[in-house]
Amino acid sequence: MHSADVPYNNLLGSMFDIDAGYLLIQLASEREKDPVYETIGQNLRSDAEGVTQMAYLGVAIRGIRGWNRRRRSPTI
């Protein structure tokens, strides 16, 4: 099964039960992002074994409209 086949909302609740301070979440392939944002906000814990949880949300570059790789590349 591919992660794109499973909605994040089915997995996020148990993920926030882990005593981890930093959670990296990839959302480029998620079709319905708004419910995911809401679930993240509701489940972030202020105390995960002494550490406040932080969720970092990532989006693949190819998922951003108007991205121009040539324009963003360093000049040689």
Side-chain angles (χ1 to χ4, degrees):
M1 180 180 301
H2 189 275
S3 61
D5 298 330
V6 180
Y8 268 135
N9 278 341
N10 293 356
L11 306 171
L12 283 177
S14 59
M15 187 172 81
F16 287 100
D17 290 337
I18 299 170
D19 289 327
Y22 299 98
L23 302 165
L24 307 174
I25 303 169
Q26 181 278 127
L27 289 178
S29 58
E30 186 65 23
R31 291 178 188 98
E32 298 292 327
K33 292 179 178 61
D34 287 340
V36 175
Y37 298 143
E38 187 174 323
T39 300
I40 291 169
Q42 292 172 347
N43 286 285
L44 277 174
R45 295 169 39 211
S46 61
D47 186 15
E49 289 296 314
V51 178
T52 300
Q53 286 184 330
M54 303 280 295
Y56 293 92
L57 309 181
V59 180
I61 295 299
R62 67 176 180 238
I64 300 173
R65 288 188 181 164
W67 174 259
N68 182 332
R69 182 179 299 276
R70 196 171 333 151
R71 184 175 64 215
R72 304 280 192 234
S73 297
T75 305
I76 298 177

